[in-house]
Amino acid sequence: MNASERQALKTSERQSGILCHLTCMPSRFGIGDMGAGVRQFLDFLQDAGQTLWQILPLGPTGYGNSPYQPFSAFAGSPLLIDLEQLVTEGLLNEDDFAPSFSLPADEVLYDKVREFKDLALRRSYQNFLDSRSESLKRAQKAFEERNDFWLEDFGLFMALKRHFDDAVWTDWDRDIALREHRALAYWRERLNKEVDYQKYLQFLFDRQWRRVRAYAHERGIEILGDVPIFVGHDSADVWSHRELFRLDEDGSPTVVAGVPPDYFSPTGQLWGNPHYRWDVMRGNSYAWWASRLASTFSRVDKIRMDHFRGFAGYWEIPADAETAASGRWVRGPGAHFFQTLKEELGELPIIAEDLGVITKDVEELRKAFGFPGMKVLQFAFGSDATNTALPHNYVPNMVAYTGTHDNDTSLGWYDSLDEETKHKVRVYTGTDGSNINWTLMRLAMISVAKIVIFPLQDVLGLGTEARLNVPGKPQGNWTWRYRAENLDEGIAETLRELSAASGRWINGKEEERRRLFPEISYAEP
């Protein structure tokens, strides 16, 4: 089978999968990680006849713990490193990571997890320095050489944040905040041990993630990653590439990102991310973006491009505004951006997150490059039969969701509806509204949509208590976790039968999928 035949098969086949972020998985250490919990989850996906696993961004998070505001567009979160693998590799002993406090199994207490994991990982780093394992040190050196284009700046950024008590970089000493040459040389020498430690953490993350991806591929499962269109202001990317962002002479944003008033918020959403200087990016053929996407594609098989509409036109808000309502629409980089990246990277397996206010130019941009769009069933019943989120209006080249990470669970959503809307749901689905999670999942499965994805909370039949994120709520999100015993064989069998009945799974499909990806190397770094 040649490359074009493999691509045709990958493009045409019907798939289904589950959305579950790594932090939500069970582990001994207070947060989901790249250990036994993710392997159990991938085994469950295989048993359930699923061929896609959707994740959220994997970067290191700070205030608010949102994966959409990481400290780097390239780095991985040290909180996701599995400590048990470090024992196997001789970098830790069991008594090195016995927390002095209890860590709950059902939620993530980020501050406690950070404190505990940082102590354990620093012990592992000292053991690494003392180790005689030349192969491990060669692997680390090779990793650093491959990733030097972002790793050195990131390591220094994180070391400086630690030195300046986690302050935003614009509050550091002015000379290093603005990256004056002598200041960079001074701080790199002064903080060299901490910089090297931060780079070591990224080596561990990369090493373990490669194992996770290989484990998924061995089970016929592709990984769908997530690329936020914007990056956080307090990030290594903005600090080290100020020329690419709309900033004043002190490094503060002059305009910020968000969305106008919508379903989620009557005053819109004020995200606060700095906007890009698209003219400068265009001048260097979007080199930063090309590096970012190449790095992401080295970790995942497909990408969900968050806030896709921003590439056609984006909402620009004055940096001193109190809400997003005072913003304005500004034209984005458009087709030139994607055409340039396609020439640089080849085919772009991108899913366009085209929710919210979608205009003709957004649709034309998505269709010009053949990117599938998204539809969410929870948005289907607020109007009439012309609602494009209703399955009878679907087209094949799209991804259907019961809900996303920003939605309530299907059970929570249905319980919150007024009686008139509940009646619409019951009429459309031909049910009495009980087991609405499975009703919506079946509706998506039997649709013409090429891909369907369900949050794990819907598969498990959980209510609002399991909601992962409430947009616009600055604290208290991203904490939900499930327990290992929640993934039982009965649920897997029911989902597998539904996948088979709707033509999204056949026995042996995982072997077929592995044949489609011979070009992927699973070798250790």
Side-chain angles (χ1 to χ4, degrees):
M1 183 181 296
N2 61 36
S4 62
E5 289 171 329
R6 289 200 303 274
Q7 183 61 42
L9 274 173
K10 286 186 280 188
T11 301
S12 64
E13 69 175 354
R14 287 162 63 82
Q15 291 182 266
S16 60
I18 293 178
L19 164 61
C20 182
H21 194 43
L22 221 56
T23 58
C24 303
M25 296 180 183
S27 81
R28 297 167 51 191
F29 308 118
I31 190 171
D33 57 32
M34 294 181 281
V38 72
R39 293 192 296 273
Q40 183 216 21
F41 174 77
L42 290 167
D43 290 342
F44 173 80
L45 284 188
Q46 183 183 29
D47 291 344
Q50 304 307 294
T51 57
L52 275 176
W53 169 31
Q54 181 175 340
I55 58 174
L56 305 184
L58 296 170
T61 59
Y63 176 79
N65 306 306
S66 170
Y68 293 90
Q69 292 280 358
F71 290 132
S72 169
F74 296 85
S77 172
L79 298 185
L80 303 178
I81 294 172
D82 172 30
L83 300 181
E84 291 178 326
Q85 289 182 54
L86 303 186
V87 174
T88 303
E89 294 179 314
L91 296 173
L92 279 178
N93 297 312
E94 278 283 346
D95 55 5
D96 284 333
F97 52 72
S100 58
F101 40 78
S102 61
L103 293 168
D106 299 311
E107 64 174 330
V108 183
L109 302 180
Y110 283 93
D111 289 342
K112 284 192 172 185
V113 170
R114 282 193 184 93
E115 176 188 346
F116 156 63
K117 279 210 162 180
D118 187 57
L119 286 172
L121 289 168
R122 287 182 186 277
R123 290 192 190 102
S124 80
Y125 180 54
Q126 187 58 54
N127 292 335
F128 171 78
L129 293 177
D130 296 338
S131 170
R132 296 182 179 179
S133 174
E134 292 303 318
S135 63
L136 198 60
K137 292 182 177 180
R138 283 196 302 270
Q140 190 218 23
K141 183 178 180 181
F143 167 78
E144 291 188 3
E145 289 174 351
R146 287 198 309 273
N147 294 277
D148 183 64
F149 64 96
W150 65 268
L151 186 60
E152 187 66 37
D153 281 327
F154 171 75
L156 180 57
F157 176 84
M158 295 304 293
L160 286 162
K161 279 195 71 69
R162 179 178 173 84
H163 175 81
F164 289 109
D165 297 322
D166 208 38
V168 176
W169 64 267
T170 46
D171 292 336
W172 300 348
D173 294 349
R174 183 177 174 84
D175 57 354
I176 188 60
L178 300 183
R179 294 175 60 87
E180 293 178 8
H181 181 73
R182 283 194 295 181
L184 285 172
Y186 169 78
W187 285 107
R188 278 175 176 148
E189 182 175 354
R190 178 174 173 179
L191 301 178
N192 70 303
K193 291 182 180 179
E194 183 66 21
V195 172
D196 287 346
Y197 169 65
Q198 294 295 333
K199 290 156 70 174
Y200 164 77
L201 293 181
Q202 293 308 306
F203 163 66
L204 293 184
F205 179 92
D206 182 77
R207 187 176 178 84
Q208 291 193 1
W209 181 254
R210 285 172 180 261
R211 292 169 182 162
V212 170
R213 191 181 184 204
Y215 196 88
H217 287 164
E218 288 165 3
R219 280 144 191 79
I221 296 164
E222 292 178 281
I223 301 176
L224 171 58
D226 196 316
V227 172
I229 182 175
F230 301 114
V231 296
H233 173 252
D234 192 22
S235 67
D237 308 286
V238 178
W239 174 66
S240 59
H241 296 285
R242 296 195 318 278
E243 74 282 1
L244 300 180
F245 298 88
R246 303 275 298 281
L247 309 175
D248 63 20
E249 62 181 11
D250 296 319
S252 298
T254 56
V255 289
V256 296
V259 292
D262 62 6
Y263 172 89
F264 290 113
S265 173
T267 59
Q269 297 177 42
L270 182 60
W271 296 337
N273 309 73
H275 275 297
Y276 297 110
R277 291 186 61 187
W278 285 115
D279 57 334
V280 175
M281 288 188 159
R282 179 172 179 143
N284 66 8
S285 299
Y286 311 102
W288 179 84
W289 267 100
S291 296
R292 183 187 186 188
L293 290 188
S295 177
T296 305
F297 280 127
S298 74
R299 290 177 174 168
V300 301
D301 305 298
K302 293 182 172 75
I303 284 176
R304 170 190 176 271
M305 190 69 80
D306 190 53
H307 198 60
F308 177 81
R309 75 139 299 115
F311 294 105
Y314 53 86
W315 193 245
E316 180 184 276
I317 308 162
D320 58 357
E322 294 185 2
T323 75
S326 60
R328 62 169 189 159
W329 288 111
V330 179
R331 189 176 300 280
H336 184 267
F337 172 78
F338 289 106
Q339 186 58 44
T340 303
L341 292 180
K342 186 175 180 180
E343 292 169 1
E344 174 69 21
L345 303 175
E347 289 300 318
L348 302 173
I350 286 173
I351 292 168
E353 186 275 288
D354 55 349
L355 306 175
V357 181
I358 301 303
T359 48
K360 185 178 179 181
D361 58 338
V362 181
E363 281 292 293
E364 290 175 348
L365 180 62
R366 181 184 64 78
K367 290 178 180 178
F369 291 90
F371 300 148
M374 289 173 52
K375 299 298 178 187
V376 177
L377 278 168
Q378 288 188 24
F379 300 153
F381 302 96
S383 55
D384 57 22
T386 63
N387 189 316
T388 59
L390 286 167
H392 69 263
N393 293 319
Y394 287 179
V395 296
N397 191 34
M398 57 161 285
V399 185
Y401 289 81
T402 50
T404 72
H405 62 276
D406 282 335
N407 293 94
D408 200 347
T409 69
S410 287
L411 290 183
W413 163 79
Y414 184 75
D415 286 344
S416 70
L417 295 177
D418 59 74
E419 188 52 42
E420 180 181 355
T421 308
K422 283 183 177 178
H423 180 68
K424 287 183 180 180
V425 174
R426 293 192 293 266
V427 169
Y428 193 87
T429 61
T431 70
D432 63 2
S434 60
N435 299 317
I436 195 66
N437 56 316
W438 283 101
T439 297
L440 295 182
M441 287 163 62
R442 179 180 179 276
L443 206 58
M445 281 284 211
I446 63 175
S447 75
V448 298
K450 183 175 65 177
I451 298 173
V452 298
I453 295 176
F454 317 116
L456 181 63
Q457 295 94 316
D458 285 356
V459 177
L460 300 180
L462 302 177
T464 298
E465 74 282 355
R467 184 169 184 170
L468 188 60
N469 180 51
V470 179
K473 178 183 173 185
Q475 293 288 315
N477 294 316
W478 319 108
T479 64
W480 175 78
R481 297 173 69 201
Y482 69 89
R483 292 175 179 257
E485 57 267 26
N486 295 145
L487 303 183
D488 68 54
E489 294 180 5
I491 294 175
E493 181 179 5
T494 301
L495 190 53
R496 183 174 66 248
E497 289 179 345
L498 182 55
S499 299
S502 57
R504 299 183 185 275
W505 179 85
I506 57 172
N507 190 28
K509 192 172 186 176
E510 59 272 19
E511 286 81 8
E512 173 70 9
R513 185 173 300 281
R514 281 200 294 275
R515 288 204 305 274
L516 295 178
F517 295 99
E519 69 276 13
I520 295 175
S521 171
Y522 306 140
E524 288 287 352

